[in-house]
Amino acid sequence: MKSDVSGPRVLLRRLREVMAERLGAQERLNKIVQHIARNMVAEVCSVYVLRSDEILELFATEGLNPESVHVASLRVGQGLVGTIAASARSLNLPEAQRHPAFTYLPETGEEVFHSFLGVPILRVGRALGVLVVQNREHRVYRDDELEALETTAMVLAELIATGELEGIANKGTSLGLNRPLQFEGVSLSDGLGLGKVILHEPRVVVTNLFNEDADKEVARLKKAVVSLQVSIDDLFQKGDVAQDGEHREVLEAYRMFANDRGWIRRMEEAVRNGLAAEAAVEKVQSDNRARMLRQPNPYLRDRLNDFDDLANRLLRELVGKPHGPVDEEIMGDFVVLARSMGAAELLDYNNGELRGLVLEEAGPTSHVVIVARALGIPVVGQLPGFVANAEPGNDIVVDGDEGIVTLRPQPDVQLAYQEKQHFREGQREKYAKLRNKPSVTVDGTQIELLMNAGLLMDLPQLAESGASGIGLFRTELQFMISATLPRPGEQEELYRNVLDSVDGKPVTFRTLDVGGDKVLPYMQLAAEENPALGWRAIRLALDRPGLLRSQIRALLKAAAGRSLRLMLPLVTEVWEIEQVRNIIRREVELQTRFGHEMPRSLELGAMLEVPSLLWQLDELMQSADFVSVGSNDLFQFTMAADRGNANLARRFSPMSKPYLRLLRDIARKADEHNTSLTLCGEIAGRPLSAMAILGVGYRSISMSPAALGPVKAMLVSLDLPRLKGVLDQVLDGEDVNIDIPKLLSSFAESNKIPY
Ligand code: PEP
Ligand code: MG
């Protein structure tokens, strides 16, 4: 038996007519399977559609028992149809019943059919269903027949995606396209965000599936491919992008793919089969996706993103839209989904309704994450391949506390999250009431609560959070979100703006903490084997004093007539502080000579982040005007545990004997020398660990603004001498198995301290 040679084109023409007819969903589907069966000279053509409960239901058939429609079903992975859906791979079998996965469905009456050709109905690489043809005789379907059936499946994918089939499934179950999905990634910024999906790089939606004239369409496709190739060559010409190693690698991959003859040939074939050029690009990309997702080789799987990007670029060439992010109509609360994103791009979305961010690739120290944290936006990251599952406008919940993203949540799940959010809002109101209350423990100890900041947009939070000042202003953020090195005038303007808007409250500016993992795109530094231990922060600043001097100058000028507090990151030996003090002294002299007004007072502090300082505590306390413990780095270096390594995140606790003893030693030394001491870093921002820090002697802590309320609620209920008694006993004891977080939480519970 032979199928019609003019097959695919004629079939697609028929299907186009069916798609245009005014028909009910079931009728349309029935006609589609009839046409496919006739065109492919098959005795059976059936469509199975994936439901949200992971069941593939027979939606229409020509040739099998009509009574089995909406009755026969298989689980994903079960039977031939289930295997095709699970693997997103076609099966071409002369004798279906010999295949080990074959499952007999008696209600369909399929036992008389031997040969079987099944293809997945793919959309962006996801199987939404399975399309099958069967014949009585034993035959192997030819490659062109397989290709034709895959092309036809594309039409069905669009039909499913339009939602037309929704509602005709058995017992009204919703379809797989809309099924809820939950993914566990990595928490990058705390909080809970609910909203509608916005794709940062929206896929071009292909609405025109068929072509009128294959030759013309192939010419259109070829023209678009040439423009694509030229646009990629153009990117190479742009020096700034092409110089950088990583960018260059990506571009090389793009160029290779854009010239991949196999890719172009497969798209041409799909056009010759009757698809419009856009639909052909999408079909071939869906096949690619399904194929590459099966790759065990992570390098090849990673390249999938490049290929996706390229296909999207080609679609944009075809529909005449510019490259890069497209303005979306944003209405109401929304969550942005991106593979990766620059920090400045995130700011473009920050219109007050941005509720969350999901990033496939970003890690905790990426710039965009730092900025999102500063904005109080929950972020979940490290979810490769996630974006492909989402459609613009889908409901989504980003649980930044747990690192979980729920796409299209079921109503009860959504409700539970909404309740959690209301609860949080209630808490926030409670915290707002605490805002103007004194920050004093039950026994009358005054605690200074400061906030961390780094951008101008953080500043309104100073008043909102009730912080008594800024304990850590990370000046590197301005440098990190900027495309070029901020000019001295720009730096000065930012610092002046900061000081102008804090209403006389103290601000501690930290000098540039770059290098290592905090990369400035415009500053070419050699790759390092151990960036955390590398040429960074104050080390870099002292070796390249020009940069430090211009920053100090900007700070001195901005603080004219006011108090200036400067702090140095990653000090390892005390002489580094002295060197900077000399640079400042010289700069003050110079500026005074030029007639610039200088700050009324100037204090120079050091961050205690490197354990070597623990054996220079006397010298440190004498040399620095104040000391701030950078607990993130001090913890990572003390425990030899990379702060960005997810596998180590829960292994060691800062609320452990060695670390708390060490923090206590620092606090005692500061008291002895009467040196002002602060602690900044994540542990200051969680009520339980903040309690531990107060317990070992700290009276000033700096944290993200969102953490201030919960920490204050904790401390106003805290009897500090009682806690100190409990903690000292543990820290001075010899029990090496003591679980301090557990001990502290039971202390909090029995003393009714919220934590
Ligand atoms: C720290 O290391 O604790 C700190 C506050 O600095 P950063 O997190 O910016 O390294
Ligand atoms: Mg640090």
Side-chain angles (χ1 to χ4, degrees), residues 452 472 474 476 510 513 518 536 607 609 629-634 643 680-682:
N452 300 339
L472 167 64
R474 292 178 160 110
E476 64 273 10
R510 173 170 76 185
D513 187 8
K518 291 181 185 168
R536 49 176 288 208
M607 288 193 80
E609 303 183 284
V629 174
S631 63
N632 301 336
D633 277 321
L634 183 59
R643 62 193 260 188
C680 50
E682 299 310 308

mmCIF file of all heavy atoms in Angstrom, residues 452 472 474 476 510 513 518 536 607 609 629-634 643 680-682, ligand 1:
data_model
loop_
_atom_site.group_PDB
_atom_site.id
_atom_site.type_symbol
_atom_site.label_atom_id
_atom_site.label_comp_id
_atom_site.label_asym_id
_atom_site.label_seq_id
_atom_site.Cartn_x
_atom_site.Cartn_y
_atom_site.Cartn_z
ATOM 1 N N ASN A 452 20.945 47.474 55.013
ATOM 2 C CA ASN A 452 21.899 47.409 53.911
ATOM 3 C C ASN A 452 21.258 48.039 52.673
ATOM 4 O O ASN A 452 20.057 47.900 52.457
ATOM 5 C CB ASN A 452 22.243 45.961 53.579
ATOM 6 C CG ASN A 452 22.871 45.228 54.750
ATOM 7 O OD1 ASN A 452 23.401 45.853 55.676
ATOM 8 N ND2 ASN A 452 22.806 43.899 54.713
ATOM 9 N N LEU A 472 25.485 49.382 55.794
ATOM 10 C CA LEU A 472 26.344 48.898 54.706
ATOM 11 C C LEU A 472 25.770 49.425 53.400
ATOM 12 O O LEU A 472 24.688 49.019 52.978
ATOM 13 C CB LEU A 472 26.352 47.361 54.688
ATOM 14 C CG LEU A 472 26.949 46.697 53.445
ATOM 15 C CD1 LEU A 472 28.430 47.012 53.303
ATOM 16 C CD2 LEU A 472 26.750 45.181 53.487
ATOM 17 N N ARG A 474 26.591 49.240 49.700
ATOM 18 C CA ARG A 474 27.497 48.513 48.790
ATOM 19 C C ARG A 474 27.712 49.359 47.532
ATOM 20 O O ARG A 474 26.914 49.301 46.594
ATOM 21 C CB ARG A 474 26.880 47.170 48.401
ATOM 22 C CG ARG A 474 26.772 46.171 49.552
ATOM 23 C CD ARG A 474 26.096 44.898 49.065
ATOM 24 N NE ARG A 474 26.350 43.754 49.918
ATOM 25 C CZ ARG A 474 25.432 43.172 50.696
ATOM 26 N NH1 ARG A 474 24.194 43.621 50.729
ATOM 27 N NH2 ARG A 474 25.749 42.122 51.418
ATOM 28 N N GLU A 476 29.557 49.055 45.117
ATOM 29 C CA GLU A 476 29.831 48.345 43.856
ATOM 30 C C GLU A 476 28.566 48.137 43.020
ATOM 31 O O GLU A 476 28.650 47.915 41.816
ATOM 32 C CB GLU A 476 30.520 47.005 44.099
ATOM 33 C CG GLU A 476 29.719 45.967 44.859
ATOM 34 C CD GLU A 476 29.855 46.098 46.377
ATOM 35 O OE1 GLU A 476 30.412 47.113 46.829
ATOM 36 O OE2 GLU A 476 29.388 45.200 47.082
ATOM 37 N N ARG A 510 30.727 51.508 51.862
ATOM 38 C CA ARG A 510 31.830 50.562 51.699
ATOM 39 C C ARG A 510 32.512 50.854 50.363
ATOM 40 O O ARG A 510 31.826 50.977 49.337
ATOM 41 C CB ARG A 510 31.301 49.134 51.711
ATOM 42 C CG ARG A 510 32.391 48.143 51.367
ATOM 43 C CD ARG A 510 31.981 46.732 51.586
ATOM 44 N NE ARG A 510 31.099 46.259 50.527
ATOM 45 C CZ ARG A 510 30.518 45.060 50.544
ATOM 46 N NH1 ARG A 510 30.698 44.271 51.573
ATOM 47 N NH2 ARG A 510 29.758 44.679 49.557
ATOM 48 N N ASP A 513 33.797 46.855 46.341
ATOM 49 C CA ASP A 513 34.090 45.456 46.656
ATOM 50 C C ASP A 513 33.902 44.657 45.371
ATOM 51 O O ASP A 513 32.898 43.971 45.194
ATOM 52 C CB ASP A 513 33.129 44.979 47.750
ATOM 53 C CG ASP A 513 33.473 43.580 48.246
ATOM 54 O OD1 ASP A 513 34.533 43.057 47.859
ATOM 55 O OD2 ASP A 513 32.675 43.011 49.009
ATOM 56 N N LYS A 518 32.386 39.221 41.767
ATOM 57 C CA LYS A 518 31.654 40.442 41.410
ATOM 58 C C LYS A 518 32.356 41.071 40.209
ATOM 59 O O LYS A 518 33.327 41.811 40.352
ATOM 60 C CB LYS A 518 31.619 41.413 42.591
ATOM 61 C CG LYS A 518 30.750 40.913 43.741
ATOM 62 C CD LYS A 518 30.720 41.905 44.869
ATOM 63 C CE LYS A 518 29.946 41.341 46.054
ATOM 64 N NZ LYS A 518 30.124 42.144 47.263
ATOM 65 N N ARG A 536 40.840 40.902 44.724
ATOM 66 C CA ARG A 536 39.529 41.528 44.820
ATOM 67 C C ARG A 536 39.521 42.586 45.924
ATOM 68 O O ARG A 536 40.458 42.696 46.698
ATOM 69 C CB ARG A 536 38.446 40.466 45.094
ATOM 70 C CG ARG A 536 38.783 39.521 46.219
ATOM 71 C CD ARG A 536 37.658 38.543 46.523
ATOM 72 N NE ARG A 536 36.539 39.220 47.166
ATOM 73 C CZ ARG A 536 35.694 38.633 48.009
ATOM 74 N NH1 ARG A 536 35.828 37.351 48.295
ATOM 75 N NH2 ARG A 536 34.704 39.302 48.560
ATOM 76 N N MET A 607 36.069 46.093 57.485
ATOM 77 C CA MET A 607 35.209 44.911 57.588
ATOM 78 C C MET A 607 36.048 43.748 58.061
ATOM 79 O O MET A 607 37.161 43.533 57.579
ATOM 80 C CB MET A 607 34.573 44.593 56.239
ATOM 81 C CG MET A 607 33.515 45.595 55.866
ATOM 82 S SD MET A 607 32.520 45.018 54.492
ATOM 83 C CE MET A 607 31.382 43.908 55.294
ATOM 84 N N GLU A 609 36.238 40.206 57.672
ATOM 85 C CA GLU A 609 35.714 39.124 56.833
ATOM 86 C C GLU A 609 36.721 38.000 56.664
ATOM 87 O O GLU A 609 36.387 36.932 56.176
ATOM 88 C CB GLU A 609 35.347 39.659 55.444
ATOM 89 C CG GLU A 609 34.340 40.796 55.482
ATOM 90 C CD GLU A 609 33.937 41.244 54.096
ATOM 91 O OE1 GLU A 609 34.740 41.951 53.454
ATOM 92 O OE2 GLU A 609 32.832 40.899 53.668
ATOM 93 N N VAL A 629 31.590 43.344 61.109
ATOM 94 C CA VAL A 629 31.807 41.944 60.746
ATOM 95 C C VAL A 629 30.981 41.635 59.498
ATOM 96 O O VAL A 629 29.759 41.805 59.498
ATOM 97 C CB VAL A 629 31.381 41.002 61.899
ATOM 98 C CG1 VAL A 629 31.468 39.547 61.464
ATOM 99 C CG2 VAL A 629 32.241 41.256 63.129
ATOM 100 N N GLY A 630 31.656 41.232 58.425
ATOM 101 C CA GLY A 630 30.947 40.793 57.212
ATOM 102 C C GLY A 630 30.723 39.296 57.379
ATOM 103 O O GLY A 630 31.585 38.489 57.033
ATOM 104 N N SER A 631 29.600 38.960 57.946
ATOM 105 C CA SER A 631 29.447 37.573 58.402
ATOM 106 C C SER A 631 29.338 36.582 57.247
ATOM 107 O O SER A 631 29.651 35.414 57.419
ATOM 108 C CB SER A 631 28.245 37.445 59.329
ATOM 109 O OG SER A 631 27.078 37.771 58.634
ATOM 110 N N ASN A 632 28.939 37.037 56.071
ATOM 111 C CA ASN A 632 28.856 36.095 54.939
ATOM 112 C C ASN A 632 30.243 35.580 54.579
ATOM 113 O O ASN A 632 30.480 34.383 54.473
ATOM 114 C CB ASN A 632 28.273 36.765 53.690
ATOM 115 C CG ASN A 632 26.888 37.329 53.928
ATOM 116 O OD1 ASN A 632 26.185 36.877 54.816
ATOM 117 N ND2 ASN A 632 26.499 38.322 53.136
ATOM 118 N N ASP A 633 31.158 36.533 54.397
ATOM 119 C CA ASP A 633 32.503 36.133 54.005
ATOM 120 C C ASP A 633 33.263 35.515 55.168
ATOM 121 O O ASP A 633 33.975 34.533 54.999
ATOM 122 C CB ASP A 633 33.274 37.331 53.435
ATOM 123 C CG ASP A 633 32.941 37.539 51.961
ATOM 124 O OD1 ASP A 633 32.815 36.529 51.252
ATOM 125 O OD2 ASP A 633 32.785 38.696 51.527
ATOM 126 N N LEU A 634 33.103 36.084 56.363
ATOM 127 C CA LEU A 634 33.839 35.531 57.506
ATOM 128 C C LEU A 634 33.436 34.065 57.713
ATOM 129 O O LEU A 634 34.274 33.214 58.001
ATOM 130 C CB LEU A 634 33.558 36.354 58.773
ATOM 131 C CG LEU A 634 34.353 35.898 60.005
ATOM 132 C CD1 LEU A 634 35.850 35.958 59.768
ATOM 133 C CD2 LEU A 634 33.991 36.733 61.240
ATOM 134 N N ARG A 643 30.271 30.247 49.855
ATOM 135 C CA ARG A 643 28.939 30.752 50.194
ATOM 136 C C ARG A 643 27.933 30.572 49.065
ATOM 137 O O ARG A 643 26.732 30.648 49.283
ATOM 138 C CB ARG A 643 29.009 32.221 50.630
ATOM 139 C CG ARG A 643 29.514 33.170 49.566
ATOM 140 C CD ARG A 643 29.857 34.532 50.141
ATOM 141 N NE ARG A 643 28.809 35.510 49.924
ATOM 142 C CZ ARG A 643 28.930 36.800 50.183
ATOM 143 N NH1 ARG A 643 30.038 37.280 50.722
ATOM 144 N NH2 ARG A 643 27.942 37.627 49.939
ATOM 145 N N CYS A 680 27.130 42.915 59.705
ATOM 146 C CA CYS A 680 26.223 42.899 58.558
ATOM 147 C C CYS A 680 26.387 41.550 57.866
ATOM 148 O O CYS A 680 27.388 40.879 58.043
ATOM 149 C CB CYS A 680 26.490 44.054 57.606
ATOM 150 S SG CYS A 680 28.209 44.247 57.137
ATOM 151 N N GLY A 681 25.432 41.165 57.119
ATOM 152 C CA GLY A 681 25.473 39.821 56.512
ATOM 153 C C GLY A 681 24.154 39.136 56.799
ATOM 154 O O GLY A 681 23.363 39.606 57.636
ATOM 155 N N GLU A 682 23.942 38.038 56.104
ATOM 156 C CA GLU A 682 22.614 37.406 56.137
ATOM 157 C C GLU A 682 22.153 37.012 57.537
ATOM 158 O O GLU A 682 20.971 37.059 57.835
ATOM 159 C CB GLU A 682 22.597 36.169 55.226
ATOM 160 C CG GLU A 682 22.887 36.464 53.763
ATOM 161 C CD GLU A 682 22.036 37.594 53.205
ATOM 162 O OE1 GLU A 682 20.805 37.522 53.353
ATOM 163 O OE2 GLU A 682 22.608 38.556 52.657
HETATM 164 C C1 PEP B 1 29.573 39.954 54.007
HETATM 165 O O1 PEP B 1 30.500 39.377 53.440
HETATM 166 O O2 PEP B 1 29.005 39.517 55.032
HETATM 167 C C2 PEP B 1 29.059 41.226 53.493
HETATM 168 C C3 PEP B 1 28.173 41.924 54.148
HETATM 169 O O3 PEP B 1 29.511 41.633 52.286
HETATM 170 P P1 PEP B 1 29.021 41.013 50.898
HETATM 171 O O4 PEP B 1 27.863 40.110 51.195
HETATM 172 O O5 PEP B 1 28.686 42.176 50.045
HETATM 173 O O6 PEP B 1 30.236 40.266 50.462
#
